[in-house]
Coordinates of all heavy atoms in Angstrom, one line a residue:
A159 N -22.4 0.4 27.9 CA -21.5 1.5 27.3 C -22.3 2.2 26.2 O -22.2 3.5 26.2 CB -20.3 0.8 26.7
D160 N -23.0 1.5 25.4 CA -23.8 2.2 24.3 C -24.9 3.1 24.9 O -25.1 4.2 24.4 CB -24.5 1.2 23.4 CG -23.4 0.5 22.5 OD1 -22.3 1.0 22.4 OD2 -23.7 -0.6 22.0
Y161 N -25.6 2.6 26.0 CA -26.6 3.4 26.6 C -26.1 4.7 27.2 O -26.7 5.8 27.0 CB -27.3 2.6 27.7 CG -28.4 3.3 28.4 CD1 -29.7 3.3 27.9 CD2 -28.1 3.9 29.6 CE1 -30.7 4.0 28.6 CE2 -29.1 4.6 30.3 CZ -30.4 4.6 29.8 OH -31.4 5.3 30.5
I162 N -25.0 4.6 27.9 CA -24.4 5.8 28.5 C -23.9 6.8 27.4 O -24.0 8.0 27.5 CB -23.3 5.4 29.4 CG1 -23.9 4.7 30.6 CG2 -22.5 6.7 29.9 CD1 -22.8 4.3 31.7
A163 N -23.4 6.2 26.3 CA -22.9 7.1 25.2 C -24.1 7.8 24.5 O -24.0 9.0 24.3 CB -22.1 6.3 24.1
E164 N -25.2 7.1 24.3 CA -26.3 7.7 23.7 C -26.9 8.8 24.6 O -27.4 9.9 24.2 CB -27.4 6.6 23.4 CG -27.0 5.7 22.2 CD -27.9 4.6 22.1 OE1 -28.9 4.5 22.8 OE2 -27.7 3.7 21.1
R165 N -27.1 8.5 25.9 CA -27.6 9.4 26.8 C -26.7 10.6 26.9 O -27.2 11.8 27.1 CB -27.8 8.8 28.2 CG -28.9 7.7 28.2 CD -30.3 8.3 28.1 NE -30.6 9.1 29.3 CZ -30.9 10.3 29.4 NH1 -31.0 11.0 28.3 NH2 -31.2 11.0 30.5
A166 N -25.4 10.5 26.9 CA -24.5 11.6 27.0 C -24.7 12.5 25.8 O -24.6 13.7 26.0 CB -23.0 11.1 27.1
V167 N -24.8 12.0 24.6 CA -25.1 12.8 23.4 C -26.3 13.5 23.5 O -26.4 14.7 23.2 CB -25.0 11.9 22.2 CG1 -25.5 12.6 20.9 CG2 -23.7 11.3 22.0
E168 N -27.4 12.9 24.0 CA -28.7 13.5 24.2 C -28.6 14.6 25.2 O -29.2 15.7 25.0 CB -29.8 12.5 24.6 CG -30.1 11.5 23.6 CD -31.1 10.4 24.0 OE1 -31.5 10.6 25.2 OE2 -31.4 9.5 23.2
L169 N -27.9 14.4 26.3 CA -27.8 15.4 27.4 C -27.1 16.6 26.9 O -27.5 17.8 27.1 CB -27.1 14.9 28.6 CG -28.0 13.9 29.5 CD1 -27.1 13.4 30.6 CD2 -29.2 14.7 30.1
A170 N -26.0 16.4 26.1 CA -25.2 17.5 25.6 C -26.0 18.3 24.6 O -26.0 19.6 24.6 CB -24.0 17.0 24.9
R171 N -26.8 17.6 23.7 CA -27.7 18.4 22.8 C -28.8 19.1 23.5 O -29.1 20.3 23.1 CB -28.3 17.3 21.8 CG -29.1 18.0 20.7 CD -29.6 17.0 19.7 NE -30.4 15.9 20.3 CZ -30.0 14.7 20.3 NH1 -28.8 14.4 19.8 NH2 -30.7 13.7 20.8
D172 N -29.4 18.5 24.6 CA -30.4 19.2 25.3 C -29.8 20.5 26.0 O -30.5 21.5 26.0 CB -31.0 18.3 26.3 CG -31.8 17.2 25.6 OD1 -32.2 17.3 24.5 OD2 -32.1 16.2 26.3
L173 N -28.6 20.4 26.6 CA -28.0 21.5 27.2 C -27.7 22.6 26.2 O -27.9 23.8 26.5 CB -26.7 21.1 27.9 CG -26.9 20.2 29.2 CD1 -25.6 19.7 29.7 CD2 -27.7 20.9 30.3
A174 N -27.2 22.2 25.0 CA -26.9 23.2 24.0 C -28.2 23.9 23.5 O -28.3 25.2 23.3 CB -26.3 22.6 22.8
M175 N -29.3 23.2 23.4 CA -30.6 23.8 23.0 C -31.1 24.7 24.1 O -31.7 25.7 23.8 CB -31.6 22.7 22.6 CG -31.3 21.9 21.4 SD -32.4 20.5 21.2 CE -34.0 21.4 20.9
Q176 N -31.0 24.3 25.3 CA -31.4 25.1 26.4 C -30.6 26.4 26.5 O -31.2 27.5 26.7 CB -31.3 24.4 27.7 CG -31.7 25.2 28.9 CD -31.6 24.4 30.2 OE1 -31.2 23.2 30.2 NE2 -31.9 25.0 31.4
A177 N -29.3 26.3 26.2 CA -28.5 27.6 26.2 C -28.9 28.5 25.0 O -28.9 29.7 25.2 CB -27.0 27.2 26.1
D178 N -29.3 27.9 23.9 CA -29.7 28.7 22.8 C -31.1 29.4 23.1 O -31.2 30.6 22.7 CB -29.9 27.8 21.5 CG -28.5 27.4 20.9 OD1 -27.5 28.0 21.2 OD2 -28.5 26.3 20.3
R179 N -32.0 28.6 23.7 CA -33.2 29.2 24.1 C -33.1 30.4 25.0 O -33.7 31.4 24.9 CB -34.2 28.2 24.6 CG -34.7 27.2 23.6 CD -35.9 26.4 24.2 NE -35.4 25.6 25.3 CZ -35.0 24.3 25.2 NH1 -35.0 23.7 24.0 NH2 -34.7 23.6 26.3
E180 N -32.2 30.2 26.0 CA -31.9 31.3 27.0 C -31.3 32.5 26.3 O -31.6 33.6 26.6 CB -31.1 30.7 28.1 CG -31.7 29.7 29.0 CD -30.8 29.2 30.0 OE1 -29.6 29.5 30.0 OE2 -31.3 28.4 30.9
A181 N -30.4 32.2 25.4 CA -29.7 33.4 24.7 C -30.7 34.1 23.8 O -30.7 35.3 23.7 CB -28.6 32.8 23.8
I182 N -31.6 33.4 23.1 CA -32.7 34.0 22.3 C -33.6 34.8 23.1 O -34.0 35.9 22.8 CB -33.4 32.9 21.5 CG1 -32.5 32.3 20.4 CG2 -34.6 33.5 20.8 CD1 -33.1 31.2 19.6
A183 N -34.0 34.2 24.3 CA -34.9 34.9 25.2 C -34.3 36.2 25.7 O -34.9 37.3 25.8 CB -35.3 34.0 26.3
D184 N -32.9 36.1 26.0 CA -32.3 37.4 26.5 C -32.2 38.4 25.5 O -32.4 39.6 25.7 CB -30.9 36.9 27.0 CG -30.2 38.2 27.7 OD1 -30.6 38.6 28.7 OD2 -29.1 38.5 27.1
A185 N -31.9 38.0 24.2 CA -31.8 39.0 23.1 C -33.2 39.6 22.8 O -33.3 40.7 22.5 CB -31.2 38.3 21.8
Q186 N -34.2 38.7 22.9 CA -35.6 39.2 22.7 C -36.0 40.2 23.7 O -36.6 41.3 23.5 CB -36.6 38.0 22.7 CG -38.0 38.4 22.6 CD -38.4 38.8 21.1 OE1 -37.9 38.2 20.2 NE2 -39.1 39.9 21.0
K187 N -35.6 40.0 25.0 CA -35.9 40.9 26.1 C -35.1 42.2 25.8 O -35.7 43.3 26.1 CB -35.4 40.3 27.4 CG -35.7 41.2 28.6 CD -35.3 40.5 29.9 CE -35.5 41.3 31.1 NZ -35.0 40.7 32.4
Q188 N -33.9 42.2 25.4 CA -33.1 43.5 25.1 C -33.8 44.2 24.0 O -33.9 45.5 24.0 CB -31.7 43.1 24.8 CG -30.9 42.5 26.0 CD -29.5 42.2 25.5 OE1 -29.1 42.5 24.4 NE2 -28.7 41.6 26.4
W189 N -34.3 43.5 23.0 CA -35.0 44.2 21.9 C -36.3 44.8 22.3 O -36.6 46.0 22.0 CB -35.2 43.1 20.7 CG -35.8 43.7 19.5 CD1 -35.7 45.0 19.1 CD2 -36.5 43.0 18.5 NE1 -36.4 45.2 17.9 CE2 -36.9 44.0 17.5 CE3 -36.9 41.7 18.3 CZ2 -37.6 43.6 16.4 CZ3 -37.6 41.4 17.2 CH2 -38.0 42.3 16.2
D190 N -37.1 44.1 23.1 CA -38.3 44.6 23.6 C -38.1 45.9 24.5 O -38.8 46.8 24.4 CB -39.1 43.6 24.3 CG -39.5 42.4 23.4 OD1 -39.6 42.6 22.2 OD2 -39.8 41.3 23.9
E191 N -37.1 45.8 25.3 CA -36.8 46.9 26.2 C -36.3 48.1 25.4 O -36.8 49.3 25.7 CB -35.7 46.5 27.2 CG -36.2 45.6 28.2 CD -35.1 45.1 29.2 OE1 -33.9 45.5 28.9 OE2 -35.3 44.4 30.2
A192 N -35.5 47.9 24.4 CA -35.1 49.0 23.5 C -36.3 49.6 22.8 O -36.4 50.9 22.6 CB -34.0 48.6 22.5
R193 N -37.1 48.8 22.3 CA -38.4 49.3 21.5 C -39.3 50.1 22.4 O -39.8 51.1 22.1 CB -39.1 48.2 20.8 CG -40.2 48.6 20.0 CD -40.8 47.4 19.2 NE -41.1 46.3 20.1 CZ -41.5 45.1 19.6 NH1 -41.6 44.9 18.3 NH2 -41.8 44.1 20.5
A194 N -39.4 49.5 23.7 CA -40.3 50.2 24.7 C -39.7 51.6 25.0 O -40.5 52.6 25.2 CB -40.5 49.3 25.9
R195 N -38.4 51.7 25.2 CA -37.8 53.0 25.5 C -38.0 54.0 24.4 O -38.3 55.1 24.6 CB -36.3 52.8 25.8 CG -36.1 52.2 27.2 CD -34.6 52.4 27.6 NE -33.7 51.7 26.6 CZ -33.2 50.5 26.7 NH1 -33.6 49.7 27.7 NH2 -32.4 50.0 25.8
L196 N -37.9 53.5 23.1 CA -38.1 54.4 22.0 C -39.6 54.8 21.9 O -39.8 56.0 21.6 CB -37.6 53.7 20.7 CG -37.7 54.5 19.4 CD1 -36.8 55.8 19.5 CD2 -37.3 53.7 18.2

Side-chain angles (χ1 to χ4, degrees):
D160 289 342
Y161 178 84
I162 293 179
E164 293 174 358
R165 292 287 293 124
V167 172
E168 292 177 2
L169 285 176
R171 183 172 60 248
D172 293 343
L173 290 175
M175 293 176 62
Q176 182 179 357
D178 290 337
R179 287 194 296 267
E180 292 177 355
I182 292 175
D184 184 63
Q186 178 72 45
K187 181 179 179 181
Q188 294 179 5
W189 183 23
D190 294 340
E191 291 177 353
R193 183 171 56 184
R195 288 194 299 267
L196 182 59

